[in-house]
Amino acid sequence: MTDNDPLPDSDDVMRASKTLENIAHRTPVFTSSTLDRRCQTEVFLKCENLQRVGAFKFRGAYNAVTMLSQSERDKGVITYSSGNHGQAIALTGKLTGVKTVVVVPTDAPVAKRAAATAYGAEIILHERDQMRREDVAAELQHQHGYTLIPPFNHRDVVAGQGTAVAELHQQIDSLDTIVVPCGGGGLLSGSALASRAMAPECRVIGVEPELGDDAVRSFRTGSIQTVSNPQTIADGTRTESLGSITFPIIMDKVDDMVTVTEQAIIDAVAFLLLRTKLLVEPSGALGIAALLSGAVSGSGRTGVLISGGNIDPETVKTVLTTASEH
Amino acid sequence: MTDNDPLPDSDDVMRASKTLENIAHRTPVFTSSTLDRRCQTEVFLKCENLQRVGAFKFRGAYNAVTMLSQSERDKGVITYSSGNHGQAIALTGKLTGVKTVVVVPTDAPVAKRAAATAYGAEIILHERDQMRREDVAAELQHQHGYTLIPPFNHRDVVAGQGTAVAELHQQIDSLDTIVVPCGGGGLLSGSALASRAMAPECRVIGVEPELGDDAVRSFRTGSIQTVSNPQTIADGTRTESLGSITFPIIMDKVDDMVTVTEQAIIDAVAFLLLRTKLLVEPSGALGIAALLSGAVSGSGRTGVLISGGNIDPETVKTVLTTASEH
């Protein structure tokens, strides 16, 4: 951590909650007796797959942009993301009138690129093997005076992303555990900030795919570990490592981290789809994968953060073909 | 209509609403700006795909069984259904302690049969080409003294099925139109009873697959028309005709009936899945198919009854492969 990376605290999350009032959807919390029976505990699904742009990322993006100064807004913002954060920044730009630029790898799904374009973002394509997307963004930032809003390692992004769990604690009393997916750790660290402040006794557990277990190794060793381009189906968690902001918060406020296999993720997506009738992307199903596979043992009232629902039709078909049971 | 087929009225629906309080789920109403834009009207999805057993059928089955006398309950109930009504009767039996028997064709999906078995129903398999399921049920009824609860042509089934729209009018004010799928007409006639009583100015429109357009022809000609085993993907609407109870109510209280093509149904299921993140079975998507295809023109506040979400994985894959766009 440096002086340029101030850590957010729970007050930042509460402030973000106010900012997002009537802007972000207050997403519903779902329950299902089948889910409870299979997870052997009382489960509350916080459905951020029903959030604007189909993911919690909208909360962080919108909060971060509204925290900028007027002169920063006038120059515009830039981000790099092939997925939900890019769409979230693009929609935020449309809602706030701020120019947005999204750096997207040429091999990103056309549908995701089209969504960002539809919201009016400028799309910059880059060849993944020629240059790091961070470097492309930095160069454009330098040229045009854009402000960079990265996908997770940013105080106001983390604070905004934490508002989903803040809302969950308002909606559901006395949760004993919350289970949260972890990629770069923005959602997990923001959730932990909110949860520690609002429900200090509630356990906070992060879940990562086994194939991209850098955060679990970081948590166990106490220093940031990396993973290189993990081929997990949970594309929202293919980040290289936790960040300078998310890591210390996770070390301080998260109770445990667990991993789940690719099969467990696939089975969780199929289960959520066919039994609860909700379309959840693989990263969004990590919490249910952890409960169904026993990586997290169900006990008491368990809040599960369903982080997003943006999954392309081919992946849905693959999941239905390869799930263990229906 | 005979004396054995007393028509339900709106009081029967209101009574059923009381019966189902805290038993049936009060299903959520979903809105989506993407949906509004595409349908060119303000759309409110009444999500009976999130009902117990995944369909509105639970409301009718439970209501009908609770209206039986103690001696009828002691002997047990029987129904014929390869789908949602069979599961609904089975779950009702489990909840009320009433013995249930479900006559299922041998070619029905194993998953649906398994669900009914799991609730404790006795399953009687019959060969579709050897005997009509109604006759199989009648014979068992005669032998054992069971009471028959048919899938739609029954006063208390219709009244129970109408409670979903009664609830929708409580949840959403000032609807201008409701759009409701039609198979045998239980849901449509019950919905019309509720809607006429609670929101007399609200238009009630029924939707049927073009391939099984018997109800539309019945509505236009004023006499019950039939269709033989229509091969529509909307399996919940493959009924031969409206019934002696549902037909007169529909003639009296429904404003219009429209049809939609198979492609429109497929596109609606894909749209609901990928855009609103809800799994809806083909029959359940008829209302959205009508709006997206222009069969029903959007104007004002439009309530759309999403009747169920029980769709097997192979059909989901087929839908995603054959949908016009994603």
Side-chain angles (χ1 to χ4, degrees):
Chain A
M1 190 182 67
T2 71
D3 286 348
N4 294 326
D5 297 332
L7 291 191
D9 60 23
S10 61
D11 288 343
D12 293 308
V13 180
M14 299 311 139
R15 196 174 306 120
S17 293
K18 284 228 181 316
T19 300
L20 293 168
E21 234 173 61
N22 301 319
I23 301 282
H25 292 325
R26 190 176 171 87
T27 52
V29 177
F30 269 60
T31 58
S32 144
S33 54
T34 307
L35 191 60
D36 289 358
R37 199 167 49 247
R38 287 289 296 276
C39 294
Q40 298 184 285
T41 191
E42 211 177 339
V43 176
F44 300 88
L45 301 180
K46 176 61 173 170
C47 289
E48 287 292 301
N49 57 330
L50 305 174
Q51 186 51 267
R52 297 180 87 158
V53 312
F56 74 97
K57 292 278 186 182
F58 176 69
R59 295 174 181 268
Y62 189 91
N63 186 56
V65 170
T66 57
M67 295 291 283
L68 298 180
S69 70
Q70 189 57 51
S71 83
E72 287 170 321
R73 287 177 178 230
D74 290 345
K75 289 182 188 138
V77 300
I78 188 166
T79 196
Y80 43 84
S81 164
S82 52
N84 295 330
H85 178 66
Q87 288 183 54
I89 285 286
L91 175 58
T92 298
K94 188 183 168 197
L95 296 173
T96 57
V98 171
K99 176 185 169 68
T100 56
V101 181
V102 183
V103 179
V104 174
T106 48
D107 61 359
V110 174
K112 295 205 168 178
R113 200 197 300 170
T117 310
Y119 292 128
E122 180 182 338
I123 305 296
I124 306 285
L125 293 173
H126 86 104
E127 296 284 346
R128 207 190 275 271
D129 51 1
Q130 288 177 10
M131 214 172 161
R132 291 172 66 239
R133 59 185 190 169
E134 290 86 342
D135 297 333
V136 176
E139 194 176 306
L140 289 162
Q141 208 186 334
H142 182 71
Q143 275 173 27
H144 300 277
Y146 301 141
T147 300
L148 176 69
I149 312 279
F152 57 87
N153 202 47
H154 184 287
R155 183 187 58 187
D156 302 321
V157 171
V158 167
Q161 293 181 354
T163 61
V165 157
E167 212 171 84
L168 174 61
H169 281 300
Q170 287 168 353
Q171 291 166 304
I172 307 295
D173 273 343
S174 313
L175 290 173
D176 297 298
T177 306
I178 59 166
V179 188
V180 181
C182 181
L187 180 65
L188 179 57
S189 58
S191 298
L193 287 173
S195 202
R196 282 283 165 259
M198 297 175 73
E201 300 303 312
C202 176
R203 287 191 308 160
V204 179
I205 298 180
V207 186
E208 217 180 13
E210 199 174 274
L211 286 185
D213 67 343
D214 58 285
V216 171
R217 286 186 284 112
S218 305
F219 187 77
R220 300 262 179 265
T221 59
S223 63
I224 294 181
Q225 307 292 315
T226 61
V227 66
S228 175
N229 194 20
Q231 290 307 298
T232 171
I233 193 172
D235 58 332
T237 68
R238 286 184 197 147
T239 43
E240 197 178 80
S241 70
L242 297 175
S244 56
I245 290 180
T246 58
F247 174 64
I249 300 172
I250 289 171
M251 284 308 291
D252 185 36
K253 300 198 182 295
V254 168
D255 292 288
D256 202 3
M257 301 269 318
V258 300
T259 60
V260 290
T261 63
E262 293 297 296
Q263 189 63 50
I265 300 169
I266 288 167
D267 290 350
V269 173
F271 179 85
L272 286 165
L273 183 62
L274 298 170
R275 298 308 178 103
T276 70
K277 316 302 178 191
L278 292 171
L279 184 63
V280 176
E281 61 184 90
S283 310
L286 286 171
I288 291 302
L291 283 167
L292 288 178
S293 68
V296 170
S297 63
S299 68
R301 292 158 68 81
T302 305
V304 178
L305 205 297
I306 301 295
S307 57
N310 294 330
I311 174 171
D312 64 78
E314 289 310 314
T315 306
V316 176
K317 288 197 263 181
T318 302
V319 162
L320 292 174
T321 303
T322 54
S324 305
E325 56 146 343
H326 292 122
Chain B
M1 189 182 67
T2 70
D3 288 347
N4 295 326
D5 297 331
L7 293 190
D9 60 23
S10 61
D11 288 343
D12 293 308
V13 181
M14 300 311 140
R15 196 175 306 118
S17 293
K18 283 226 181 320
T19 300
L20 292 168
E21 232 173 63
N22 302 319
I23 301 282
H25 292 325
R26 189 177 172 87
T27 52
V29 177
F30 268 61
T31 60
S32 144
S33 54
T34 308
L35 192 59
D36 289 358
R37 197 166 51 245
R38 288 288 297 274
C39 294
Q40 298 183 286
T41 191
E42 212 176 339
V43 176
F44 300 88
L45 302 179
K46 176 61 173 169
C47 290
E48 288 291 301
N49 57 329
L50 305 174
Q51 187 50 267
R52 296 181 87 158
V53 312
F56 74 98
K57 292 278 186 182
F58 176 69
R59 296 173 181 268
Y62 189 91
N63 186 55
V65 169
T66 57
M67 295 291 283
L68 298 179
S69 70
Q70 190 58 51
S71 84
E72 287 170 321
R73 288 176 177 230
D74 290 345
K75 287 181 189 138
V77 300
I78 189 167
T79 196
Y80 42 83
S81 164
S82 53
N84 295 331
H85 179 66
Q87 289 184 53
I89 286 286
L91 174 58
T92 298
K94 188 183 169 198
L95 295 173
T96 57
V98 172
K99 175 184 168 69
T100 56
V101 182
V102 183
V103 179
V104 174
T106 47
D107 60 0
V110 174
K112 295 205 168 178
R113 200 197 300 170
T117 310
Y119 293 129
E122 180 182 340
I123 305 297
I124 305 286
L125 294 172
H126 86 103
E127 296 283 348
R128 208 189 273 272
D129 51 0
Q130 287 178 10
M131 214 172 163
R132 291 173 65 238
R133 59 185 191 170
E134 290 85 343
D135 297 333
V136 176
E139 195 176 304
L140 289 161
Q141 209 187 333
H142 181 71
Q143 275 174 26
H144 300 276
Y146 301 142
T147 300
L148 175 68
I149 312 278
F152 57 87
N153 203 46
H154 185 287
R155 183 186 58 187
D156 302 321
V157 171
V158 167
Q161 294 182 353
T163 61
V165 158
E167 212 171 84
L168 173 60
H169 282 300
Q170 287 168 353
Q171 291 167 303
I172 307 295
D173 273 344
S174 313
L175 289 173
D176 296 298
T177 306
I178 58 166
V179 188
V180 181
C182 180
L187 180 65
L188 179 57
S189 58
S191 299
L193 288 173
S195 203
R196 281 283 166 260
M198 297 176 73
E201 301 302 310
C202 176
R203 287 190 309 160
V204 179
I205 298 180
V207 186
E208 217 181 14
E210 199 174 276
L211 286 184
D213 68 344
D214 59 285
V216 172
R217 287 186 284 112
S218 305
F219 187 77
R220 301 261 178 264
T221 61
S223 64
I224 293 180
Q225 307 292 314
T226 61
V227 66
S228 176
N229 194 19
Q231 290 306 298
T232 171
I233 192 172
D235 58 332
T237 68
R238 287 184 197 146
T239 42
E240 197 179 79
S241 70
L242 297 174
S244 57
I245 289 179
T246 58
F247 174 65
I249 299 173
I250 288 171
M251 286 306 292
D252 185 35
K253 300 199 184 294
V254 169
D255 292 288
D256 202 2
M257 301 270 317
V258 300
T259 60
V260 290
T261 64
E262 293 297 296
Q263 188 64 50
I265 299 169
I266 287 168
D267 291 350
V269 172
F271 179 85
L272 287 165
L273 183 62
L274 298 171
R275 298 308 178 102
T276 71
K277 318 300 179 192
L278 292 172
L279 185 64
V280 176
E281 61 184 271
S283 310
L286 286 171
I288 291 301
L291 283 167
L292 288 178
S293 68
V296 169
S297 63
S299 68
R301 291 159 68 81
T302 305
V304 177
L305 205 297
I306 301 294
S307 58
N310 294 329
I311 174 171
D312 64 78
E314 289 309 315
T315 306
V316 176
K317 288 196 262 181
T318 302
V319 163
L320 292 175
T321 302
T322 55
S324 305
E325 54 146 345
H326 291 123

